[in-house]
Amino acid sequence: MADTQPAAVAGTSDGKQPKSVRVVLLALMITMMLAMLDNMIVGTAMPTIVGELGGLEHLSWVVTAYTLATAAATPIWGKLGDMYGRKATFMTSIVLFLIGSALSGMAQNMGELIGFRAVQGLGAGGLMVGVMAIIGDLIPPRERGKYQGMMAAVMAVAMIAGPLVGGTITDHWGWRWAFYINLPLGVVSLGLISAVLHLPKKRSKAGIDYLGVVLLTVGITSIVLVTTWGGTEYAWTSARIMELIGIGVAALVGFVFWQTKAAEPVVPLHIFRSRNFTLMSVIGFITGFVMFGATLFLPLYQQSVQGASATNSGLLLLPMLGAMLVTSMIAGRITTSTGRYKVFPVVGSALMIVGLYLLSTMDTGTTRLTSGLFMAVLGLGMGCLMQITMLVAQNSVEMRDMGVASSSTTLFRTLGSSFGVAIMGALFNHRVQDVMSERAGSIGSKVTEQSAQLDAASLAKLPAAAREAYQYAVSDGTHAAFVLGSVVAVVALVAAVFVKEVPLKGAGPKAEDAPAAAAPQASVVEAV
């Protein structure tokens, strides 16, 4: 099947977006910020939450419940948007997220908090998907590049500001406001979307594919649990992990078989006949694998080895995030002006490999300036990939499949992050424990038997010899994790080489040469 080029209408004849579209985009960026900030703010507040509610043994479930619900709900929200209309589905996901936020803030014990976080996660699954799919409806593919910088900026601000905002809120207002802060932002977003966004209403005659939903949910849940529990709660070869792997594989095989039979499949398999869509799914998975692995180990390395303050952990990633933001903006502008994009996945993947390799060379003597330059190289690579993968994936499907294309791409990136954190984390932990045993003997083994990742307080209490051994261990573990990341990133480069450059339709400087691109076929935003 040839790659198709969906059309959308949002611009005027001079290529500018009407005021109503800009207002909608503002609301979408607020919603995107909600989705990205939440986990980072809550992560900072977790020690205080445990101190008040207790239940330390269930601490990991506060994050796991949210992650599971988000991953499982993501493809379902995309399909519901395609079937019943993007606006109503998106607003419903925001309302569900806000209900979960309010309930989480009112939780009286750890069990309630875990349950309410799951509700919040169900809503969160529709936030990012809704943002991407609505942008796909409103903005012609050729024009979407201009908004890459905006989305990259939101991502960078969330990753840098999240821990700082979380700490400030917890210290001055209390941990419950880590959840309540979502409410005013969400209400503003809902109000703007309700007033300004106008999309054609849809009503599918086919019913929801309930069996497909169940099979996909079981499969995704099993995968996320394997990557979350493997090597931490349970050994990788334990019976529980083997059971989850078996259940996950069986459910996903059953899901794929059923999607060929369902009247209205949750994930129509025909979208994978598009070579570009399949390749973008692979690249998105690898990008998630690398990015979240990097954001986990880089602050740990800089705090443990370079002596940086944990308070400013978000700022430690500034070279990577800043480079990612700049590259994303440049790539977007070039894509909009030329309509061409293949160079960015290729160059981005190559830079990502180089950046990961450079990061793998860091040791106990590496300066912050040097590590910052290495991070910038990785950021340049990821900036070429983050939004281009979604843009090309959306450009490769029919307009009627915009929601499932957006949700599938988001899901692959989410699963990639789960695998990245789990696999790179397992390798890191193994190397740290081995090096600690070699350099510090039984004391070293005892120090890391509970966790290979020590916080600043625990590190400060270690004897000088054990602390030095731990710095070498973290350096060695980081080396191993980033070497693995660079090897995995080669897959993204191979996939990028095989991308077929299908010109993007839309307005832009040369749009007069392709008047068909402006045909009002997909969606209309009415000025208010």
Side-chain angles (χ1 to χ4, degrees):
M1 173 181 165
D3 291 282
T4 57
Q5 304 171 40
V9 174
T12 57
S13 59
D14 60 0
K16 294 182 179 179
Q17 303 302 328
K19 181 179 179 181
S20 56
V21 177
R22 295 196 294 270
V23 174
V24 170
L25 288 171
L26 173 62
L28 294 179
M29 293 306 106
I30 293 174
T31 310
M32 186 175 173
M33 180 72 78
L34 281 176
M36 300 207 64
L37 267 180
D38 187 76
N39 256 339
M40 296 181 181
I41 290 179
V42 173
T44 309
M46 283 312 302
T48 306
I49 294 174
V50 171
E52 181 173 326
L53 299 183
L56 178 62
E57 67 275 15
H58 303 303
L59 174 64
S60 62
W61 272 104
V62 176
V63 176
T64 301
Y66 180 90
T67 305
L68 279 175
T70 301
T74 292
I76 298 170
W77 284 114
K79 184 61 181 179
L80 290 175
D82 287 341
M83 292 176 65
Y84 301 111
R86 205 84 65 211
K87 179 177 178 179
T89 304
F90 184 51
M91 292 180 69
T92 301
S93 71
I94 296 175
V95 170
L96 186 58
F97 178 81
L98 296 181
I99 290 173
S101 298
L103 291 174
S104 295
M106 293 186 286
Q108 299 301 308
N109 56 61
M110 191 61 78
E112 289 183 2
L113 179 60
I114 291 169
F116 296 150
R117 283 283 283 167
V119 173
Q120 192 184 22
L122 288 174
L127 299 186
M128 193 67 75
V129 171
V131 168
M132 297 301 179
I134 290 174
I135 288 177
D137 276 350
L138 300 184
I139 311 296
R142 176 81 171 263
E143 292 295 309
R144 281 175 219 157
K146 291 195 298 188
Y147 301 96
Q148 287 179 209
M150 186 187 301
M151 290 183 280
V154 169
M155 183 178 299
V157 169
M159 297 185 75
I160 294 171
L164 299 176
V165 172
T168 302
I169 289 175
T170 303
D171 290 341
H172 294 88
W173 297 351
W175 67 266
R176 296 182 186 278
W177 276 96
F179 298 103
Y180 292 151
I181 194 67
N182 293 329
L183 302 181
L185 293 174
V187 169
V188 169
S189 179
L190 277 174
L192 292 175
I193 290 169
S194 176
V196 181
L197 179 62
H198 301 278
L199 293 173
K201 294 183 179 179
K202 302 177 184 178
R203 181 67 189 180
S204 174
K205 295 181 180 179
I208 296 174
D209 177 17
Y210 291 105
L211 179 57
V213 168
V214 171
L215 289 172
L216 183 60
T217 300
V218 171
I220 292 174
T221 299
S222 299
I223 289 173
V224 175
L225 283 178
V226 167
T227 57
T228 302
W229 283 349
T232 53
E233 297 287 328
Y234 302 95
W236 285 104
T237 55
S238 67
R240 178 61 55 87
I241 296 298
M242 292 297 106
E243 288 169 2
L244 286 171
I245 291 174
I247 292 171
V249 170
L252 292 177
V253 170
F255 171 76
V256 171
F257 173 77
W258 176 247
Q259 294 307 279
T260 64
K261 308 292 184 183
E264 191 66 53
V266 179
V267 179
L269 299 182
H270 66 257
I271 62 177
F272 291 98
R273 295 175 192 160
S274 164
R275 182 172 75 186
N276 275 5
F277 181 83
T278 302
L279 293 172
M280 287 302 119
S281 298
V282 172
I283 294 173
F285 180 92
I286 301 299
T287 304
F289 187 105
V290 168
M291 181 176 178
F292 284 88
T295 54
L296 173 65
F297 294 111
L298 284 171
L300 178 63
Y301 168 83
Q302 292 195 306
Q303 291 170 37
S304 301
V305 179
Q306 296 181 327
S309 168
T311 306
N312 298 320
S313 58
L315 297 177
L316 301 176
L317 298 173
L318 191 56
M320 182 179 75
L321 298 175
M324 186 174 73
L325 171 59
V326 171
T327 312
S328 187
M329 293 177 66
I330 294 173
R333 290 293 176 180
I334 293 175
T335 301
T336 297
S337 63
T338 66
R340 308 186 74 84
Y341 51 80
K342 180 174 179 176
V343 63
F344 297 112
V346 174
V347 172
S349 299
L351 285 172
M352 190 163 64
I353 295 169
V354 172
L356 288 165
Y357 172 75
L358 290 173
L359 289 170
S360 75
T361 65
M362 296 188 303
D363 55 28
T364 56
T366 303
T367 64
R368 292 190 192 181
L369 175 61
T370 302
S371 60
L373 292 174
F374 293 169
M375 281 191 280
V377 175
L378 178 60
L380 291 173
M382 291 195 297
C384 291
L385 297 173
M386 289 301 296
Q387 305 303 331
I388 286 290
T389 51
M390 180 65 72
L391 172 63
V392 178
Q394 290 179 337
N395 193 58
S396 303
V397 301
E398 304 285 351
M399 183 61 71
R400 61 188 172 87
D401 292 324
M402 185 67 68
V404 292
S406 302
S407 63
S408 297
T409 305
T410 303
L411 176 62
F412 277 109
R413 188 177 297 173
T414 301
L415 293 177
S417 68
S418 294
F419 276 90
V421 170
I423 297 174
M424 293 172 76
L427 185 60
F428 173 87
N429 292 343
H430 178 71
R431 290 303 305 151
V432 168
Q433 289 166 349
D434 282 354
V435 174
M436 284 296 283
S437 297
E438 293 169 6
R439 286 184 169 267
S442 59
I443 296 177
S445 299
K446 187 174 182 181
V447 166
T448 57
E449 65 182 356
Q450 295 297 323
S451 174
Q453 301 177 30
L454 303 182
D455 57 28
S458 301
L459 191 58
K461 295 176 183 177
L462 293 180
R467 191 183 310 120
E468 182 180 354
Y470 184 69
Q471 290 175 337
Y472 276 100
V474 168
S475 177
D476 197 276
T478 304
H479 166 78
F482 284 126
V483 166
L484 172 65
S486 65
V487 172
V488 172
V490 172
V491 177
L493 178 59
V494 173
V497 169
F498 286 97
V499 169
K500 178 184 177 183
E501 189 158 58
V502 179
L504 302 174
K505 286 186 176 181
K510 300 181 181 179
E512 63 272 12
D513 298 329
Q521 300 173 17
S523 61
V524 180
V525 178
E526 301 169 0
V528 175

